[in-house]
Amino acid sequence: MSYRIAKYRSLSRVANPVVEPVSVRDFKLHCRIDTEDEDDLLVALLGAAREWAESYTCRTFVHTQWQMKLDGFPAEIRLPRPPMAVAAGFTAVSVVYTPATSGVTDTLATTEYRVDRLSQPGTLRPNYGQSWPAYLTDENGVTVTWWAGYGADATKVPRAAQVGVMMVAAHLWKYREASTTDALKEVPMGAKSMLDTIRFFEYG
């Protein structure tokens, strides 16, 4: 079956993960750091490395709430940055739109659509035999909010993601300046190769 897929107009984080997929302790073991002098810096580097790795893989590692804006309803709504969260407390989905009849923003009842959390990416579809409601076509006219991530902590995050984050963070820790007297250092191929094993290419 073929579907018309609408590219989102914007994608933003509503709630950031409460923990990183890699702890400072594990990262210090990886880099053989035995002091606490730079712990605050390491926290920042791990966060930046996780954000870069998630952007590179088009995935979400630890529970994060996302919000996507579309100009209208496509045949099905595919949610980027999989996997969609399945744990209790992180399954809320909200679809806000402007009905063509009233012109007043409204929230679509959850009984009006199906949520496929197991597909990648997670997908929203109208109920069987039904269609999306008539809506006012406008830029950013439909807003979808949902949770994504493997879990609330690092226990279910793929090892490839964790190692990739450590490799990127180690690179940032070693090369701290925007430019050096040596050649500029890009993210090493080893980190990209590791993250390529879980990279998601489908959404577009």
Side-chain angles (χ1 to χ4, degrees):
M1 182 178 293
S2 176
Y3 290 98
R4 176 176 64 87
I5 305 302
K7 178 68 174 179
Y8 56 80
R9 182 172 288 276
S10 68
L11 178 67
S12 59
R13 296 178 191 265
V14 177
N16 287 305
V18 296
V19 298
E20 296 295 341
V22 176
S23 68
V24 171
R25 175 185 176 277
D26 289 344
F27 181 59
K28 290 169 76 170
L29 290 173
H30 175 79
C31 292
R32 299 177 182 176
I33 300 172
D34 56 8
T35 70
E36 298 179 355
D37 297 343
E38 297 186 314
D39 281 8
D40 289 344
L41 172 63
L42 301 184
V43 170
L45 294 181
L46 285 169
R50 184 258 308 160
E51 289 180 358
W52 185 93
E54 287 182 324
S55 179
Y56 181 76
T57 60
C58 295
R59 288 191 177 275
T60 305
F61 299 154
V62 179
H63 283 161
T64 300
Q65 191 175 41
W66 292 98
Q67 187 173 89
M68 174 176 67
K69 291 185 179 295
L70 303 150
D71 291 347
F73 286 106
E76 63 178 17
I77 300 175
R78 297 188 182 184
L79 305 176
R81 299 298 183 94
M84 198 172 182
V86 297
F90 296 92
T91 58
V93 176
S94 171
V95 179
V96 177
Y97 75 110
T98 303
T101 54
S102 68
V104 179
T105 301
D106 194 10
T107 299
L108 186 64
T110 55
T111 55
E112 297 296 313
Y113 56 90
R114 297 171 288 140
V115 181
D116 182 356
R117 302 179 185 280
L118 300 182
S119 65
Q120 294 206 25
T123 305
L124 308 183
R125 301 182 181 92
N127 281 332
Y128 295 106
Q130 298 182 21
S131 59
W132 296 113
Y135 59 91
L136 183 66
T137 302
D138 194 10
E139 295 178 354
N140 302 306
V142 175
T143 301
V144 184
T145 307
W146 76 101
W147 288 90
Y150 292 95
D153 55 33
T155 56
K156 295 183 179 181
V157 176
R159 294 300 179 95
Q162 293 176 315
V163 172
V165 167
M166 286 194 290
M167 293 173 74
V168 173
H171 176 77
L172 296 174
W173 177 69
K174 183 175 181 179
Y175 300 101
R176 307 186 185 196
E177 304 297 332
S179 62
T180 67
T181 55
D182 299 325
L184 293 178
K185 305 295 184 181
E186 296 183 357
V187 174
M189 288 299 297
K192 290 183 177 179
S193 295
M194 179 65 67
L195 293 170
D196 278 343
T197 63
I198 61 168
R199 196 174 184 187
F200 182 71
F201 293 95
E202 190 274 351
Y203 194 94

